[in-house]
Amino acid sequence: MGVLSSKCRSTARLDGKTVVITGCNTGIGKECVKEFYLRGAKVIMACRNLEKATSAQTEVEDECKNAPNVGSIQVVKLDLTSLRSVRECAKKISDNEEKIDILLNNAGVMMCPKDTTEDNFEMQIGTNHFGHFLFTLLLLPRIIASNSQPARIVNVSSMAHWRIFGGKMNFDDLNWKTRRYNSINAYAQSKLANVLFTKELARRLQEAGINHVHTYSLHPGVIKTELGRNLDQTFFKGVTFLFLTFTTFMCKSPQQGAQTSIYCSLSEDCAKETGLYYQECSKTNPSYRARNKEDAKRLWEESLLLTGLGPDYNFLNP
């Protein structure tokens, strides 16, 4: 259990609210499903593996069967490694929901061996950024339709976005076509992209006069989840065991790791904030690269092109 872990103290209810969470059949995503369900929300689990997601749904419902005033849970198919799947999922949700009050972009891959998505993106930036970028923009009309004050878009990033971990946007080779592949640096770049996207989306929403939709990015902490399942393949057999052994007292449980995501999603304390970065249920400064306005703007423009939305895409009139 993590020795340093804050807890979201908000008692806010989510009755009548609709929450979409990506990658939530296990780990901190599953803990967020449970938390929002207990608070009365309609929770839509957007996951790649429907069998695992349905099993997780059943587990949460069984654990909470005696709790009063719970919400509801639905499962939809979302494979962030496929822009086709992203579009299909976003359309299905948009067709069935009049509004979305909270979008929690939680899914991610970490330090996996070199691979590409269906659309030929490097696997980590393709999953962690491009998939979520497209998903968010396609759902944005439904988020704007929310009457929540504010509606919230929460992007789970990582302290790995710092330069010390290799966090740097290489706009000449975002997808590692010409460079020698480095899984750590690729992961760091994808997590930096999460923070830059959060900042730029906040700026563009405010510029468009959309003041009731706020964005948040965060570091959840070092968590003992399945996210590190690729370490043995990336480095050498046994490194996962060594990592978990030496970080046992630093690693958070999934419940502890979910706290900052929950805080950014519903706490009254950050309701008036947007475009910022959080850790331990408190705003903090991201790396200086994550505060680069020109990089944030360029990433937005590159992402519009690479996801097929086009340079003239207008989220107010898609």
Side-chain angles (χ1 to χ4, degrees):
M1 301 287 280
V3 294
L4 297 175
S5 182
S6 298
K7 182 175 176 59
C8 177
R9 303 293 179 183
S10 173
T11 59
R13 293 283 304 175
L14 297 175
D15 302 286
K17 306 296 184 184
T18 299
V19 182
V20 178
I21 310 178
T22 69
C24 50
N25 62 280
T26 188
I28 64 176
K30 183 180 174 184
E31 290 295 331
C32 289
V33 170
K34 181 178 179 180
E35 185 71 28
F36 299 149
Y37 174 65
L38 283 170
R39 293 174 185 254
K42 176 181 183 179
V43 184
I44 300 173
M45 300 175 63
C47 300
R48 181 171 61 178
N49 189 314
L50 292 181
E51 183 179 351
K52 289 183 178 180
T54 301
S55 177
Q57 174 188 0
T58 300
E59 289 175 11
V60 169
E61 290 172 340
D62 286 346
E63 290 172 10
C64 305
K65 62 184 178 182
N66 295 321
N69 303 317
V70 297
S72 63
I73 304 176
Q74 296 179 7
V75 172
V76 294
K77 171 80 172 181
L78 172 64
D79 183 353
L80 288 163
T81 70
S82 165
L83 296 186
R84 172 185 51 79
S85 176
V86 171
R87 290 180 181 277
E88 289 174 354
C89 182
K91 184 179 187 306
K92 182 174 183 178
I93 294 174
S94 297
D95 286 347
N96 292 328
E97 306 299 328
E98 294 183 356
K99 63 179 181 63
I100 297 169
D101 302 287
I102 301 168
L103 170 61
L104 173 54
N105 288 320
N106 170 77
V109 293
M110 182 179 77
M111 300 181 198
C112 53
K114 186 176 182 180
D115 199 359
T116 56
T117 69
E118 182 181 291
D119 304 281
N120 209 28
F121 298 137
E122 184 274 320
M123 183 60 69
Q124 297 190 84
I125 198 167
T127 304
N128 298 346
H129 170 64
F130 289 124
H132 278 131
F133 176 88
L134 179 61
F135 192 55
T136 301
L137 264 60
L138 293 178
L139 291 181
L140 200 51
R142 292 293 180 266
I143 300 172
I144 292 173
S146 168
N147 58 6
S148 293
Q149 297 295 329
R152 309 192 194 201
I153 299 168
V154 182
N155 296 315
V156 178
S157 180
S158 169
M159 67 182 297
H161 82 275
W162 281 80
R163 183 179 181 183
I164 188 174
F165 299 106
K168 177 183 179 181
M169 299 306 303
N170 188 320
F171 289 107
D172 295 325
D173 188 23
L174 285 173
N175 289 295
W176 296 82
K177 300 296 185 184
T178 61
R179 292 175 287 167
R180 181 178 179 179
Y181 188 68
N182 183 302
S183 64
I184 298 176
N185 289 351
Y187 178 66
Q189 178 182 242
S190 74
K191 294 289 98 179
L192 175 58
N194 293 152
V195 186
L196 290 171
F197 171 45
T198 301
K199 177 177 288 293
E200 183 66 6
L201 178 55
R203 185 188 72 80
R204 289 175 181 264
L205 285 166
Q206 290 181 320
E207 188 177 74
I210 309 298
N211 298 313
H212 69 286
V213 178
H214 292 183
T215 70
Y216 307 79
S217 63
L218 64 99
H219 169 60
V222 181
I223 303 159
K224 191 173 183 179
T225 70
E226 294 182 5
L227 194 58
R229 60 188 174 271
N230 296 303
L231 295 179
D232 279 3
Q233 299 177 59
T234 305
F235 298 99
F236 56 86
K237 189 174 182 180
V239 71
T240 302
F241 172 77
L242 291 173
F243 173 78
L244 293 176
T245 298
F246 286 105
T247 59
T248 296
F249 297 105
M250 295 176 60
C251 280
K252 297 181 179 183
S253 67
Q255 183 181 44
Q256 290 174 320
Q259 294 306 306
T260 303
S261 293
I262 296 167
Y263 173 84
C264 290
S265 296
L266 56 80
S267 177
E268 303 88 346
D269 293 340
C270 60
K272 294 182 180 181
E273 300 165 355
T274 188
L276 304 181
Y277 176 76
Y278 297 78
Q279 183 175 344
E280 299 299 339
C281 299
S282 180
K283 63 182 177 183
T284 187
N285 286 325
S287 73
Y288 78 92
R289 291 184 186 277
R291 301 193 296 270
N292 188 309
K293 295 179 181 179
E294 290 304 313
D295 279 0
K297 182 174 182 291
R298 183 171 180 183
L299 177 64
W300 179 280
E301 293 169 348
E302 294 283 350
S303 299
L304 286 179
L305 293 174
L306 291 171
T307 59
L309 291 175
D312 300 322
Y313 184 81
N314 180 356
F315 56 74
L316 293 179
N317 186 27

